[in-house]
Amino acid sequence: MSFNVGLSGLAAANKALDVTGNNIANVATTGFKSSRTEFADQYAQSIRGTSGKTTVGSGVTTAAVSQQFTQGNIESTGNSLDMAINGNGFFVLSDNGSKLYTRAGAFYSDKSGNIVDSSGNNLQGYTTDSSGNLTSGVLSNLAIDTSNLAPKATSSISETVNLNSSATAPTISPFSADNTSSYNYTFNTDVYDSQGNAHQLNQYFVKDDTSNSWTMYTTIDGVNPTDPTSSTPLSNPLTFNADGSYSYTAGDVTGGLSVNDDGTFSLAGWVPAAEQSDGTYASNGASATADITLDMSNLTQYNATSATTAKDQDGYATGELSALSVSDTGQLTATFTNGKTNIIGQVALANFANVQGLSPAGGTDWRETYASGVPVIGTPNTGTMGSLSASSLEDSNVDLTAELVNLIKAQSNYQANAKTISTESTIMQTTIQMT
């Protein structure tokens, strides 16, 4: 019996202990993938490359230490930038231009707004262009823009309104916004100027004595929209067909909103202004004039309570970043205090033909090698890529119970191989004593 056989067994058992100990040490490491030791027997070859039927093996060797890329449990964390991959794929990181790949999705925002891991590596993905559209094909560092969302002036308003056909003309005349008895129905809509200042568009509806006819009065902030020095509202007649549908005639209306060919109203030349301490209005620094299209094409006159059932406008005030969310397809969506949301990027994932060929780089990262093949880059939940779980992390896939059993097995193997060396030593001593 050769000492080398026993020594190779001791080395193998020691390697198994190292791997098992490393697995146990990383049982709580996010995104960690356990390893296993794979052994192979050894045989001495003859000069001709063949061995006889009575050849005895010369021990054991470590064939490989392979990582097990099985799915770990996904745990919710509540942190908006924590991400877990459910399925295939790796996050792509940039270490000063060098690509790394990881399953650990604990990310943060650094002082510059870049999304990084604990080692400062940048998370890679697809950014947006100046129009807010996601770019594709070119990986870039993902970042969070914390600057305020620029305001947008209102240019379009749509309203769905019904006016009660059974209503009677007010007993008080003429119309006065201060006298609720001089009109039948009113509602208001917030509109915004070029600086994001909110103004109130007020619309009043007065039933005429004439059948199927109303008058709409329009103010902004209680004054004439085109002349803030005047409290006289814009006035438009509204007529309806026998079936209650809105009937219009396109053209300019003296003292009122112009009617476009499609039946929408045009508020051209609105002068955004601010109220002064003396009750008058003056320029607030916004654009001198603005144009708004008012779509009331769904206006009806039915025998039902006057009501506004739908309303929308496209302007908004400036907004500060208030929240960040990640979808299962990796889209990063920023929510602002003005209620608006913007997609600011999309996380990219990488997959490999042979994940076992990846080279561990420490920090729960891997590097591409010739054996792994080149990475296939894509977005989550497409093709063979897994989906993302937001505000979650993937736990280590180490089975602690199995590793403890492996410890017992490795210990037994070590003791058994040590016994072969002890036996060989005893035989050697006996042989020496015979001489």
Side-chain angles (χ1 to χ4, degrees):
M1 181 181 295
S2 170
F3 283 108
N4 290 335
V5 175
L7 287 173
S8 68
L10 288 178
N14 191 65
K15 176 69 74 171
L17 284 170
D18 288 342
V19 171
T20 302
N22 185 60
N23 289 341
I24 293 174
N26 286 281
V27 71
T29 302
T30 298
F32 178 79
K33 298 303 176 185
S34 63
S35 300
R36 73 180 183 191
T37 318
E38 298 173 0
F39 300 108
D41 57 355
Q42 295 187 102
Y43 282 86
Q45 298 294 318
S46 68
I47 295 177
R48 295 180 179 273
T50 60
S51 58
K53 294 182 180 180
T54 60
T55 301
V56 178
S58 57
V60 65
T61 185
T62 303
V65 176
S66 61
Q67 293 196 291
Q68 308 304 298
F69 288 91
T70 56
Q71 180 73 45
N73 293 329
I74 294 178
E75 298 289 341
S76 177
T77 64
N79 295 328
S80 60
L81 285 178
D82 284 348
M83 293 173 254
I85 302 173
N86 188 8
N88 297 324
F90 298 82
F91 296 109
V92 184
L93 304 175
S94 175
D95 178 15
N96 294 320
S98 176
K99 290 293 190 293
L100 296 172
Y101 306 92
T102 186
R103 294 279 296 193
F107 296 109
Y108 314 89
S109 175
D110 66 12
K111 63 180 181 180
S112 300
N114 297 309
I115 301 177
V116 298
D117 66 5
S118 58
S119 299
N121 300 317
N122 293 90
L123 178 64
Q124 298 276 280
Y126 303 112
T127 55
T128 56
D129 57 22
S130 57
S131 301
N133 300 313
L134 282 169
T135 59
S136 60
V138 179
L139 291 179
S140 303
N141 294 339
L142 292 177
I144 302 171
D145 185 2
T146 57
S147 60
N148 287 353
L149 181 67
K152 182 182 183 300
T154 299
S155 62
S156 177
I157 303 172
S158 63
E159 299 171 346
T160 300
V161 181
N162 178 68
L163 299 177
N164 191 351
S165 62
S166 299
T168 57
T171 56
I172 302 298
S173 183
F175 162 78
S176 172
D178 296 328
N179 191 337
T180 57
S181 298
S182 66
Y183 52 87
N184 299 85
Y185 178 61
T186 183
F187 66 91
N188 59 71
T189 304
D190 284 340
V191 294
Y192 297 88
D193 61 28
S194 62
Q195 291 184 344
N197 298 304
H199 301 266
Q200 194 173 85
L201 170 69
N202 303 99
Q203 293 168 265
Y204 304 87
F205 299 87
V206 178
K207 184 70 166 64
D208 298 338
D209 292 330
T210 306
S211 178
N212 295 336
S213 177
W214 293 67
T215 300
M216 178 179 71
Y217 296 94
T218 305
T219 64
I220 293 183
D221 294 334
V223 296
N224 189 298
T226 58
D227 182 9
T229 63
S230 172
S231 60
T232 302
L234 298 177
S235 174
N236 285 84
L238 304 176
T239 58
F240 296 87
N241 299 313
D243 62 358
S245 60
Y246 174 51
S247 175
Y248 65 88
T249 301
D252 293 335
V253 177
T254 303
L257 303 171
S258 298
V259 182
N260 301 316
D261 291 338
D262 59 357
T264 60
F265 294 98
S266 178
L267 173 53
W270 168 41
V271 181
E275 186 174 10
Q276 308 300 297
S277 58
D278 59 1
T280 62
Y281 283 80
S283 173
N284 63 358
S287 296
T289 59
D291 297 335
I292 297 177
T293 298
L294 174 60
D295 184 357
M296 296 183 65
S297 55
N298 291 322
L299 180 64
T300 57
Q301 182 195 233
Y302 296 145
N303 185 20
T305 302
S306 296
T308 304
T309 56
K311 182 170 58 174
D312 189 30
Q313 63 87 30
D314 62 352
Y316 48 83
T318 186
E320 297 178 351
L321 182 66
S322 61
L324 188 70
S325 61
V326 184
S327 71
D328 61 351
T329 59
Q331 289 188 351
L332 301 172
T333 302
T335 302
F336 297 87
T337 52
N338 59 4
K340 296 298 178 181
T341 58
N342 278 349
I343 295 176
I344 61 174
Q346 186 171 24
V347 178
L349 296 183
N351 202 7
F352 296 86
N354 176 25
V355 293
Q356 293 292 342
L358 292 171
S359 173
T364 330
D365 298 332
W366 290 269
R367 294 187 189 275
E368 170 192 349
T369 68
Y370 178 80
S372 69
V374 296
V376 177
I377 307 296
T379 55
N381 216 18
T382 60
T384 60
M385 303 298 179
S387 61
L388 282 190
S389 296
S391 301
S392 302
L393 291 175
E394 181 186 7
D395 290 342
S396 167
N397 67 348
V398 173
D399 183 343
L400 186 56
T401 301
E403 297 302 328
L404 292 175
V405 172
N406 288 337
L407 275 182
I408 297 173
K409 291 167 61 179
Q411 181 184 15
S412 299
N413 290 341
Y414 198 95
Q415 290 174 335
N417 281 283
K419 189 63 176 177
T420 64
I421 295 176
S422 175
T423 302
E424 178 70 16
S425 176
T426 300
I427 294 173
M428 181 73 71
Q429 290 298 325
T430 301
T431 303
I432 293 172
Q433 291 173 3
M434 291 173 61
T435 59

